[in-house]
């Protein structure tokens, strides 16, 4: 049997860039990605050592297709040759060398001449040298010599490599180091110690006849950091600093969360450089560098050296820092370089070095890029392209690789991302002089009211706006400035990149791109602004109380409505530059919601455009809805269709969605601030003469009431946006009128939800299918269904940032620092979902941010950002988009549950997911996940964690999102212990209750839970469309020693519950008795739970300490194979025999068997065979698969059957082992058990905590499989299977 590594998502520990390609160290393997992020090849570099660093030779020793690498991890290091300019890229490895200490950094000699040597016997050779610095500040030299006329694979095999020591190790302990060649003979070293000191020294190497002459000089010892130094970077070039001239800089980062920039003393390359003795003496006297005054440290001996700048950065420890190339422009001197840093908070921060007014160097924060999950970015590198584009590559603990845009080579050409700030004075100065005219508005009742004059300004000089009444108007010039104390109020978009804003003084302003085909340049081109401004109207009625319409769709029509305190509604049409009064309502206008729709009328080739305007008034009990069948012309027929709808009590409208089902039936969905969502059903008569005419509702002014209420989506929080997706199967019902669809909604509870609506002529029914907590919030403000790409976009606020989120790929697309949600703002996404335009007010300044494409790109997607503690494979496929999808769930310390789909066809060359695709992320737990368990049909997922958290997730399919999940129920707290953990659970369908006492659609489960206080509890859970109920059935205590119980299992075909604990014992509990007086309760009542007798079953020792892993498989109706692993490094194979008959079973058993128990109706016996030292550390995960059923002798009875299994075990020693277990059931106890170790492989997953067989991915070309014979954590019988291993990452192994 073979064990083959197939795919992995583990922490990225090393990254490098070369010629548009990316080299990635993941585990002990090196992966090569192309410029378009496709995986090209993968090579295993070390046997069982993680790669920690990769460096590449410069252009002088490489070609466009070939590059030389040095790869190291811990103490191991080796050369490698990579070639990608061929159809099948390859990587060839040189010999593996081992240093005497941990390697921290290395650097190719980029200054030495060509390095070619002529050997008359063997031909032309090339030699290169690479200095290495170790964790005790020793300098080593790695040399490699190879023949130039050989193929790459022969070069690697015949290369001559050596590793020699240049300087001896010191007593200091380094956590970081950085090397830089100053000349062909001098190496500059910056070393960061564990005690906060930075030692800058150099090594001068002179080749002599007697051998290398080595001189070491200490130049600086910097102190000031209040923590260990984790990252150092020497600037590769000299930087001009004001009056100090050109200097070499050093950047450092520490676990004190600071980034510091130091000026290094001038290093002379002469032979007579010596270190002042006082520097060495004072450095030896110091114990640590913590809390020293860095600006006046007595250890520095050079006047031109010291700390230049300091900045407090990340939320936790900072792991690494890099200099970014200096920016430059024609005719100007080079500026100071930028910085980028990565840290434990999984963010990549960008900084600029600048000079303040006093000429001092300061570090300014530019932006934060948060595109990794969980904690820790372990690796980073700078990628500089030939066109000037600069990217930062980061690899995280979540296994993802992200490309962050530090400088865009096309930025000055197409303005990929723009940000401008405008004050009222700036807007007034930027506007051109336009012609204006006094316009008498078209009133709703054709009556002109006093004081209702509107000043409408058209864009073309000397022209007159078009008016629906066609009045002859005299034009007059108007160019007065805006009031200096005016304030920006509302914003609303009327085109993708154009918006209007209303000021406090009643002025309507239009902001539009500075260059527009029909208008030309509106702003002063000298200011280089990307937005231009136009004054539209000034109106007294709109002072201090105007309201702009809020678009209900992401792509609004080219118009806007303005409501006043007097109830007047005005319309601005951007196509015609027209402003006119169109409606009058009772009371002050408090909200305007503008929606547009398109739908077919039944006439082929004809689509009806409909515009809906819903008006709410302050304190009113009604809302008014106006409907027009055209939004492209300047005259809107809002008066022709007017509906008046009565609101529920205390109902404050926050969002609207108008749904037209057909020409006669409509829905108006209204979201509220705290009262849920109301759905109104509107019916209209159809006119025979004009079938496309929109008639008033049948109710007339009927003030109709809500037909249906949704109260379970966002609780008492505001419903901020609503979207509708019709069901393709709608209208297939037997009723005369039947429609269905999916209602999407977002709320300020940090979630979005999907309801399935079924609309009949006289009723509406709803089902909550999907509700997910998003990684930002709680202010989720809008959503967009991208039908073209089948993506779901959502946006809102996280703390002080505005965030655009792509839920389909679980990725942040856009993030803007704006100050938070409590301000006036508006957002319009781009059509491709790559960004959009965001406008907001901050300190009475109008900020405009336009993103055309993201500032990052995923090279490879990852998984959890913390250790994975639980994994469970769904036993049945889920029908998604007409296909059966197989998936598994993982739970980690980051409190997230992820549902993955694994496609082995993409495991080798997948561009992003390496075979794994995350379908859903479930966020609700407050602590790390302890255990996961699927129901038998895969429709329910049960998860447990700390704080006695037990959640029930209902899983089904839905359009756009694919897998729809909703937390259907939560187990209430049961004890007064605040941190009590549910360490494991097991469940089974209660077939008796299911068939006799429930509806056919109900699901009833018995759920057993083990707790960290050594108790066992069993609950009965019923899931129904009418609600979910719990009943506390049993409670038992393991004993007074409070041993933590680690696992529980319902034994198949019995009433016995088995538990494993921290004392190494297996215990069996008899659950045949059930409460008879009460049925299921809507809450838990401790008094109704039966206490399990402590002497109810067998208690037998299997391991010397904690049992950490279990796997079992039924052998026959009364026999079970149990495999266990514990802290004692042993593997236990147990045979459990149980019987439902009364009376005692025979005790004539081998001495190794535990005594049987005959309490009650269940009899259990246990026999164990222990394999000591199965691993060199605790066994933490086990899985098994049945491989064959074979009778030893065909004539013997059915009891004489030999059954074979393959077991896979994992341990903290990072080894994966496979075992062959053969069981002869004709022999008593464990006498017929044979165990043989087959394979022993290293795994890239550290701290393995769980394992499961991917049963659905068994090779079906072999013998047919029977799912009914499959154990809960085992695969069907087959000769090939896959196992997923989870810990710090996850990987898949294939058993052949």
């Amino acid at each position: 049997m073979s064990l083959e590594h197939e795919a992995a998502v583990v922490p990225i520990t090393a990254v490098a860039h070369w010629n548009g390609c990316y080299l990635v160290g993941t585990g002990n393997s090196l992966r090569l990605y192309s410029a378009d992020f496709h995986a090209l090849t993968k090579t295993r570099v070390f046997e069982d050592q993680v790669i920690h660093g990769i460096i590449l030779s410069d252009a002088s020793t490489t070609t466009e297709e070939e590059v030389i690498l040095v790869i190291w991890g811990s103490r191991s290091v080796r050369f490698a040759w990579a070639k990608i300019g061929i159809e099948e890229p390859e990587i060839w490895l040189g010999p593996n060398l081992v240093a005497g200490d941990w390697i921290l950094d290395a650097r190719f000699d980029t200054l030495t001449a060509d390095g070619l040597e002529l050997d008359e016997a063997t031909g032309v050779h090339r030699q290169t040298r690479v200095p290495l610095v170790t964790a005790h500040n020793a300098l080593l030299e790695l040399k490699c010599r190879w023949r130039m006329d050989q193929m790459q694979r022969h070069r690697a095999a015949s290369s001559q490599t050596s590793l020699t020591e240049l300087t001896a190790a010191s007593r200091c302990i380094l956590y970081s180091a950085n090397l830089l060649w100053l000349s062909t003979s001098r190496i500059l070293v910056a070393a960061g110690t564990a005690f906060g000191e930075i030692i800058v020294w150099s090594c001068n190497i002179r080749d002599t006849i007697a051998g290398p002459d080595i001189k070491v000089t200490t130049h600086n010892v910097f102190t000031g950091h209040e923590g260990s130094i984790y990252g150092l970077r020497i600037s590769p070039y000299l930087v001009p600093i004001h009056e100090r001239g050109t200097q070499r800089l050093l950047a450092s980062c520490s676990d004190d969360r600071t980034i510091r920039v130091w000026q290094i003393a001038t290093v002379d390359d002469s032979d007579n450089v010596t270190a002042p003795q006082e520097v060495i003496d004072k450095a030896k006297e110091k114990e640590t560098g913590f809390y020293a005054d860095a600006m006046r440290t007595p250890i520095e001996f050079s006047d031109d050296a010291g700390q230049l700048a300091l900045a407090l950065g990340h939320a936790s420890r900072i792991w690494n820092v890099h200099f970014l190339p200096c920016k430059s422009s024609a005719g100007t001197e080079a500026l100071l370089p930028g910085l980028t840093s990565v840290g434990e908070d999984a963010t990549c921060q960008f900084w600029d070095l600048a000079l303040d007014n006093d000429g001092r160097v300061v570090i300014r924060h530019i932006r934060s890029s948060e595109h990794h999950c969980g904690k820790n970015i372990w690796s980073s590198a700078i990628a500089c392209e030939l066109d000037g584009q600069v990217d930062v590559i980061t690899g995280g603990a979540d296994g993802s690789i992200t490309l962050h845009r530090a400088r865009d080579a096309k930025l000055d050409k197409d303005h990929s991302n723009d940000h401008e700030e405008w004050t009222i004075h700036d807007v007034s100065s930027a506007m051109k002089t336009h012609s204006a005219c006094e316009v008498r508005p078209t009133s709703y009742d054709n009556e002109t009211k006093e004081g209702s004059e509107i000043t409408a300004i058209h864009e073309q000089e000397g022209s007159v706006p078009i008016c629906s009444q066609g009045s002859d108007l005299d034009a007059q010039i108007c160019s007065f400035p805006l009031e200096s104390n005016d304030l920006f109020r509302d914003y609303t978009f009327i085109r993708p990149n154009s918006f209007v804003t209303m000021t406090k003084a009643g002025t309507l302003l239009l902001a539009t791109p500075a260059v527009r085909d029909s208008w030309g340049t509106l702003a002063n081109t000298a200011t280089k602004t990307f937005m231009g401004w136009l004054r539209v109207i000034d109106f007294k009625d709109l002072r201090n109380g105007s309201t702009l319409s809020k678009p209900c769709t992401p792509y609004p029509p080219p118009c806007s409505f303005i409501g006043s305190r007097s109830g007047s509604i005005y319309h601005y049409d951007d196509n015609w530059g027209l402003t006119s009064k169109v409606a009058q309502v009772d009371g002050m206008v408090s909200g305007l919601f503008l929606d547009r729709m398109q739908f077919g009328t039944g006439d082929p080739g004809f689509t009806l455009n409909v515009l809906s305007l819903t008006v709410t008034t302050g304190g009113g009990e009604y809302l008014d809805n106006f409907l027009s069948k055209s939004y492209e012309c300047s005259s809107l027929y809002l008066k022709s269709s007017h509906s008046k709808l009565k609101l529920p009590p205390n109902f404050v409208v926050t969002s609207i969605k108008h749904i037209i089902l057909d020409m006669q039936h409509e829905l108006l969905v209204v979201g509220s601030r705290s009262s849920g969502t109301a759905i109104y059903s509107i019916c209209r008569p159809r006119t025979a003469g004009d079938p496309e005419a929109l008639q008033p509702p049948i109710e007339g002014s009927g003030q109709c009431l809500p037909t249906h209420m949704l109260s379970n989506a966002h609780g008492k929080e505001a419903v901020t946006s609503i979207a509708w997706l019709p069901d393709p199967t709608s209208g297939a019902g037997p009723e005369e009128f039947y429609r269905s669809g999916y209602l999407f909604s977002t709320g300020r509870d940090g979630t979005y939800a999907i309801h399935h609506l079924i609309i009949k002529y006289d009723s509406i029914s709803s089902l909550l299918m999907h509700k997910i907590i998003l990684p930002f919030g709680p202010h989720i403000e809008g959503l967009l269904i991208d039908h073209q790409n089948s993506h779901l976009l959502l946006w809102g606020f996280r703390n002080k940032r505005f965030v655009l989120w792509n839920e389909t790929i679980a990725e942040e697309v856009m993030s803007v620092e704006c100050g938070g949600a409590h301000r006036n703002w508006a957002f319009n996404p781009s059509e491709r979902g790559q960004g959009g335009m965001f406008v907001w007010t901050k300190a009475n300044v109008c900020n405009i941010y336009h993103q055309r494409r993201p500032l990052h790109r995923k090279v490879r997607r990852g998984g959890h950002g913390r250790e994975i503690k639980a994994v469970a494979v769904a036993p049945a496929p889920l029908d998604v988009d007409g296909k059966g999808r197989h998936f598994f769930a993982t739970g980690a310390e980051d409190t997230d549950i992820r549902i993955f789909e694994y496609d082995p066809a993409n495991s080798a060359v997948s561009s992003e997911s390496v075979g794994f695709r995350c379908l859903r992320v479930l966020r609700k737990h407050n602590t790390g996940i302890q255990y996961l368990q699927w129901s038998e049909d895969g429709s329910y997922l049960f998860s447990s964690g700390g704080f006695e958290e037990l959640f029930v997730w209902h899983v089904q399919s839905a359009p756009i999102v694919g897998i729809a999940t909703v937390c259907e129920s939560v187990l209430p707290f049961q004890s007064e212990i605040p941190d009590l953990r549910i360490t494991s659970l097991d469940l089974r369908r209660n077939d008796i209750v299911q068939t006799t006492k429930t509806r056919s659609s109900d699901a009833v489960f018995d759920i057993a839970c083990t707790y960290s206080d050594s108790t066992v509890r069993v609950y009965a859970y019923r899931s129904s469309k009418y609600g979910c109920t719990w009943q506390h059935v049993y409670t038992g205590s393991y004993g007074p020693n409070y041993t933590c119980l680690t696992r529980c299992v319902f034994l198949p075909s019995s009433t016995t519950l088995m538990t494993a604990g921290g004392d190494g014992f297996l215990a069996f509990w008899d659950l045949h008795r059930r409460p008879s007086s009460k049925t299921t309760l809507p809450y838990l009542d401790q008094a109704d739970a039966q206490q399990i007798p402590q002497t109810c079953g067998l208690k037998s020792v299997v391991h010397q300490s904690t049992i950490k892993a279990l796997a079992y498989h039924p052998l026959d109706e009364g026999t079970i194979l149990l495999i266990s692993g514990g802290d004692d490094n042993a593997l236990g194979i147990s045979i459990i025999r149980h019987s439902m008959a009364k009376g005692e079973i025979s005790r004539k058993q081998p001495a190794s068997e535990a005594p049987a128990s005959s309490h009650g109706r269940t009899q259990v016996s246990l026999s164990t065979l222990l394999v000591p030292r199965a691993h060199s550390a605790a066994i933490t995960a086990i899985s098994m698969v049945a491989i064959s059923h074979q009778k030893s002798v065909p004539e013997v009875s059915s009891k004489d059957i030999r059954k074979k299994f393959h077991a896979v075990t994992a341990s903290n020693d990072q080894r994966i082992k496979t075992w062959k277990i053969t069981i002869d059931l004709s022999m008593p106890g464990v006498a017929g058990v044979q165990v043989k170790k087959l394979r022993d492989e290293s795994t890239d997953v550290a701290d393995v905590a769980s394992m499961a067989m991917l049963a659905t991915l068994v090779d079906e070309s072999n013998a047919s499989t029977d799912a009914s014979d499959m154990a809960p954590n085992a695969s069907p019988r087959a000769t090939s299977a896959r196992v997923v291993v989870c810990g710090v990452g996850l990987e898949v192994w294939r058993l052949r």
Side-chain angles (χ1 to χ4, degrees), residues 1064-1076:
F1065 279 77
L1066 291 177
F1068 298 86
W1069 312 77
D1070 191 359
L1071 308 179
H1072 74 278
R1073 294 175 297 173
R1074 299 183 58 89
S1076 58

Side-chain angles (χ1 to χ4, degrees), residues 381-533:
I382 306 298
C384 300
E385 302 292 352
L386 297 177
D387 59 359
Q389 179 173 301
V390 179
D391 296 322
V392 179
I393 315 166
T394 58
D398 60 349
S400 68
I401 307 168
T402 305
L403 207 63
H404 310 264
R405 187 62 45 85
R407 184 189 306 164
D408 196 336
K410 301 179 181 179
L411 182 62
D412 296 330
K413 181 178 180 181
D414 62 2
H415 299 280
S416 61
N417 297 296
D418 302 300
H419 182 201
E420 288 185 357
E421 297 181 354
W422 293 85
T423 64
I424 288 290
H425 176 74
D426 296 334
V427 173
S428 183
S429 302
M431 290 188 302
K432 285 187 175 182
T433 300
H434 297 277
S435 62
C437 58
E438 293 292 326
V439 179
R440 186 71 62 183
T442 304
S443 63
Y444 181 74
D445 53 2
N446 292 325
E447 293 180 3
T448 302
K449 299 185 180 293
E450 184 178 356
S452 59
E453 292 82 4
I454 301 177
T455 302
I457 303 176
H458 197 251
E459 69 278 9
Q460 295 183 2
E461 187 173 350
S463 63
V464 178
I466 300 175
C467 180
S468 60
Q469 288 185 332
S471 304
D472 294 329
L473 301 173
D474 296 328
Q476 60 182 8
I477 300 299
C478 175
S479 60
F480 52 87
L482 297 173
E483 298 180 11
S484 59
N485 61 347
D486 208 352
L487 302 174
F488 294 104
R489 289 178 60 87
D490 294 342
Y491 302 97
T492 187
F493 280 90
I494 59 174
R495 295 186 187 276
N497 299 326
S498 300
F499 64 89
V500 292
T501 178
M502 180 63 67
T503 69
K504 183 179 179 181
T507 301
L508 184 67
L509 301 173
L510 170 66
T512 192
V515 177
R516 188 172 175 179
D517 294 338
S518 59
W519 288 0
T521 302
L522 297 180
N524 185 0
T525 56
T527 64
K528 298 182 180 180
T529 59
F530 73 93
M531 294 298 291
W533 292 85

Side-chain angles (χ1 to χ4, degrees), residues 527-547:
T527 64
K528 298 182 180 180
T529 59
F530 73 93
M531 294 298 291
W533 292 85
L534 186 68
R535 189 174 191 155
V536 180
I537 62 171
D538 290 275
F539 186 34
K540 296 179 182 179
D541 193 25
L542 301 180
R543 286 179 177 266
N544 300 321
S546 60
T547 302

Side-chain angles (χ1 to χ4, degrees), residues 465-674:
I466 300 175
C467 180
S468 60
Q469 288 185 332
S471 304
D472 294 329
L473 301 173
D474 296 328
Q476 60 182 8
I477 300 299
C478 175
S479 60
F480 52 87
L482 297 173
E483 298 180 11
S484 59
N485 61 347
D486 208 352
L487 302 174
F488 294 104
R489 289 178 60 87
D490 294 342
Y491 302 97
T492 187
F493 280 90
I494 59 174
R495 295 186 187 276
N497 299 326
S498 300
F499 64 89
V500 292
T501 178
M502 180 63 67
T503 69
K504 183 179 179 181
T507 301
L508 184 67
L509 301 173
L510 170 66
T512 192
V515 177
R516 188 172 175 179
D517 294 338
S518 59
W519 288 0
T521 302
L522 297 180
N524 185 0
T525 56
T527 64
K528 298 182 180 180
T529 59
F530 73 93
M531 294 298 291
W533 292 85
L534 186 68
R535 189 174 191 155
V536 180
I537 62 171
D538 290 275
F539 186 34
K540 296 179 182 179
D541 193 25
L542 301 180
R543 286 179 177 266
N544 300 321
S546 60
T547 302
L548 281 177
S549 59
K550 174 185 176 182
C552 299
T553 56
Y555 307 130
C559 66
S560 177
F561 291 86
I562 309 102
S564 69
R565 296 174 63 90
S566 63
S568 300
I569 300 174
Y570 302 94
H571 168 239
Y572 169 70
D573 191 319
D574 189 52
N575 286 335
W576 300 92
L578 170 71
T579 305
S580 57
K581 182 176 178 181
V582 293
Q584 180 73 40
V585 296
D586 298 330
M588 180 184 69
V589 177
S590 60
L592 293 170
F593 301 90
L594 184 61
D595 199 2
R596 69 170 181 176
M597 299 144 285
Q598 292 182 343
F599 70 98
T601 62
D603 186 5
F606 183 78
T607 301
L608 185 63
N609 296 318
V610 177
L611 187 70
S612 171
L613 178 67
T614 304
V615 185
T616 62
T617 56
E621 298 180 358
Y622 301 91
L623 59 83
D624 296 271
N625 177 257
F626 301 92
L627 207 61
S628 171
K629 70 174 182 179
S630 175
Y631 57 81
E632 296 294 344
C633 62
S634 60
S635 234
L636 300 176
Y637 302 99
L638 295 176
K639 184 179 178 181
S640 62
S641 179
H642 175 207
S643 305
K644 201 170 187 66
L645 310 174
K646 185 174 179 58
L647 294 173
N650 303 319
F651 197 93
V652 179
V653 178
T654 55
S655 56
I656 294 285
K657 182 59 184 177
H658 202 135
I659 305 169
I660 298 183
L661 303 173
D662 57 27
M663 291 300 299
Q664 294 178 278
H665 301 89
E666 304 168 18
L667 295 180
L668 189 67
V669 185
V670 184
S672 74
R673 180 176 298 172
S674 60

Side-chain angles (χ1 to χ4, degrees), residues 734-752:
E735 293 82 0
E736 180 180 355
F737 177 79
Y738 176 89
R739 296 290 187 274
S740 64
Y742 300 90
L743 194 70
F744 291 68
S745 63
T746 62
R748 291 194 179 132
D749 59 345
T751 68
Y752 80 96

Side-chain angles (χ1 to χ4, degrees), residues 1165-1211:
S1165 65
L1166 176 68
S1167 307
T1168 300
L1169 172 67
L1170 208 62
V1171 181
R1173 297 182 297 278
H1175 281 266
S1176 59
I1179 299 176
T1180 55
I1182 299 175
S1183 189
M1184 76 168 101
V1185 57
I1187 56 175
S1188 67
H1189 280 186
Q1190 179 182 355
K1191 292 184 179 181
S1192 56
V1193 182
E1195 292 78 10
V1196 300
S1197 65
S1198 60
K1199 289 286 184 179
D1200 299 325
I1201 298 178
R1202 296 175 61 86
K1203 296 190 176 182
K1204 299 179 181 180
F1205 298 87
H1206 280 157
V1208 183
T1209 60
S1211 169

